[in-house]
């Protein structure tokens, strides 16, 4: 089953169920007004939503209207991002002379969750000099997760899978890291691809609690990387269990994989600029690839074995800052 959110003038938008090819949809009005409400009552709404999906399979539905789609969850209660790809961490440590980090437990931080940009929104940044970077990753959305849950039990709480661009400001991140208090300015709002997908709908693309799909990244129309999500050192159920060790997780919590990264980076490329720059430091002695500039276009899409894009695609322009407010 594939879900999306249409703009309707409200903060959370309107929930629709989308056909497998991403072209048709049916409104979920009467079942759940939006995806956040649906995930909070998942056991009650899953079957009626699946019935709409069956109607779509039978050929019913109206055009999706891609221009109306927002992030599947335009806002939520909590966003927790992991760093589950060991290759990415190792490259960054070598390139920047960082001390090794304890790898026996997942790395994770809490980011802002009051806004997720839609798949085609222009993304405003205050200044090009801040080191604007993209980070392609996958994520999961859970229902209510009890404190102390095991990884085996956590798997049953993963209801939806999403594709994310975790925007980062690389010139700010080292300053904030040194404080020991975590990121605020270095991590603006993330973006999401238009469709949230149930794990079963990914077929062979969901194995061992991992998204085993390619993530194709293009910068201004040129291939930047096509990396696969199968090399996570920790699975999504393990990330969920880690996050819930000392707290309940509210329904609608989103947990990210961190930047998708593969050991065969020489062939497959990368899913963020910072990793490519780290590789350049290791192989050439200095970074050569610049960070993003205003007007640059980034496209990301998860691709399955048939060439289909189950999450749709993120395609966004790096924008100059909006005019500041002058009134109260």
């Amino acid at each position: 089953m594939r879900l999306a959110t249409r703009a309707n003038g409200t903060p959370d938008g309107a929930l629709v169920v989308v056909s497998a090819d991403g072209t048709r949809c049916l409104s979920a009005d009467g079942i759940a007004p939006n995806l956040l409400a649906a995930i909070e009552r998942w056991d009650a709404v899953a079957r009626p939503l699946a019935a709409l999906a069956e109607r779509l399979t039978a050929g019913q539905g109206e055009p999706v209207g891609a221009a109306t789609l927002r992030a599947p969850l335009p806002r939520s209660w909590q966003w927790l991002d992991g760093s589950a790809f060991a290759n990415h961490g190792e490259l960054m440590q070598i390139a920047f002379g960082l001390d090794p980090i304890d790898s026996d437990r997942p790395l994770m931080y809490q980011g802002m969750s009051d806004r997720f940009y839609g798949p085609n929104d222009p993304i405003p940044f205050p200044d090009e000099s801040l080191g604007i970077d993209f980070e392609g990753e996958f994520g999961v959305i859970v229902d209510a997760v009890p404190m102390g849950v095991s990884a085996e039990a956590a798997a049953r709480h993963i209801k939806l899978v999403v594709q994310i661009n975790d925007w980062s400001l690389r010139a700010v991140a080292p300053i904030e890291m040194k404080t020991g208090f975590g990121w605020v300015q270095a991590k603006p709002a993330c973006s999401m691809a238009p469709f949230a997908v149930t794990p079963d709908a990914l077929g062979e693309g969901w194995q061992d609690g991992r998204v085993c799909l390619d993530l194709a990244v293009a910068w201004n129309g040129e291939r930047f990387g096509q990396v696969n999500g199968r090399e996570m050192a920790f699975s999504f159920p393990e990330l969920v269990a880690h996050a819930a060790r000392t707290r309940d997780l509210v329904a609608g919590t989103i947990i990210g994989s961190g930047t998708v990264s593969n050991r065969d980076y020489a062939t497959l490329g990368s899913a963020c600029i910072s990793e490519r720059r780290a590789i350049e430091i290791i192989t050439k002695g200095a970074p050569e690839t610049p960070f993003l500039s205003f007007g640059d276009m980034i496209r990301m899409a998860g691709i399955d074995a048939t060439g289909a894009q189950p999450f749709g695609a993120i395609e966004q322009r790096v924008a100059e800052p909006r005019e500041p407010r002058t009134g109260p």
Side-chain angles (χ1 to χ4, degrees):
M1 181 167 57
R2 184 181 296 192
L3 304 175
T5 294
R6 274 180 164 175
N8 68 347
T10 69
D12 299 301
L15 179 63
V16 295
V17 183
V18 181
S19 62
D21 64 2
T23 63
R24 290 172 291 108
C25 68
L26 287 168
S27 171
D29 188 36
I31 300 173
N34 53 64
L35 184 53
L36 185 57
I39 205 74
E40 291 173 336
R41 301 177 54 249
W42 190 258
D43 288 343
V45 305
R47 186 166 295 179
L49 291 175
L52 291 182
E54 291 175 2
R55 288 171 55 188
L56 288 162
T57 301
Q60 297 184 37
E62 62 181 5
V64 167
T68 69
L69 296 183
R70 302 176 62 188
L73 269 181
R75 59 177 182 171
S76 192
W77 300 107
Q78 185 166 223
W79 155 241
L80 300 170
D81 197 17
S83 182
F85 289 88
N87 182 68
H88 178 73
E90 290 169 8
L91 287 172
M92 304 301 276
Q93 289 169 23
I94 294 170
F96 299 108
L98 303 175
D99 292 333
I101 298 174
D102 177 9
S103 60
D104 293 335
R105 49 186 259 162
L107 300 175
M108 187 173 288
Y109 74 91
Q110 187 170 36
M112 65 177 289
S113 61
D114 57 295
R115 171 189 292 179
F116 287 88
Y117 287 112
N120 302 118
D121 292 341
I123 310 300
F125 293 97
D127 191 333
E128 290 178 325
S129 69
L130 298 180
I132 304 168
D133 197 358
F134 51 83
E135 290 190 57
E137 53 187 273
F138 298 111
V140 296
I141 303 174
V142 299
D143 64 2
V145 180
M147 179 174 63
V149 69
S150 67
E152 180 182 5
R156 296 191 288 273
H157 291 280
I158 294 174
K159 302 305 180 184
L160 295 167
V161 186
V162 292
Q163 178 194 315
I164 296 167
N165 182 1
D166 175 31
W167 294 100
S168 296
L169 299 177
R170 300 300 190 182
V172 181
I175 299 169
E176 292 192 315
M177 289 175 69
K178 289 177 181 178
T179 69
F181 277 85
W183 288 308
V184 176
Q185 295 177 350
K187 289 290 185 178
C190 300
S191 304
M192 279 193 199
F195 307 131
V197 182
T198 52
D200 63 285
L202 292 176
E204 292 299 311
W206 179 256
Q207 298 180 40
D208 300 322
R210 294 163 170 84
V211 182
C212 299
L213 302 179
D214 285 349
L215 181 60
V217 181
W219 179 1
N220 290 333
E222 295 186 4
R223 179 188 183 275
F224 191 85
Q226 187 155 332
V227 290
N228 194 285
R230 67 170 59 92
E231 292 185 24
M232 287 175 71
F234 297 95
S235 68
F236 276 112
E238 289 173 311
L239 292 182
V240 173
H242 174 77
R245 183 186 177 199
T246 60
R247 68 184 77 179
D248 297 334
L249 302 182
V250 66
T253 295
I254 307 162
I255 296 180
S257 65
T259 305
V260 179
S261 181
N262 295 159
R263 294 202 177 275
D264 188 15
Y265 54 80
T267 301
L268 302 176
S270 299
C272 75
I273 297 172
S274 189
E275 180 175 296
R276 177 179 280 189
R277 287 168 61 90
I279 294 166
E280 292 168 346
I281 291 171
I282 294 168
T283 60
K284 301 177 182 181
E288 297 178 351
T289 303
F291 290 112
L292 297 172
S293 299
F294 294 143
D296 282 354
M297 293 291 297
I298 298 300
R299 189 182 195 278
M300 297 180 179
I303 302 174
D304 67 17
T306 71
Q309 300 177 8
F311 306 106
I314 294 172
E315 193 161 7
Q316 298 182 311
R317 178 176 58 84
V318 178
E320 297 187 51
R322 301 187 184 101
E323 290 294 324
R325 291 180 60 179
T326 56

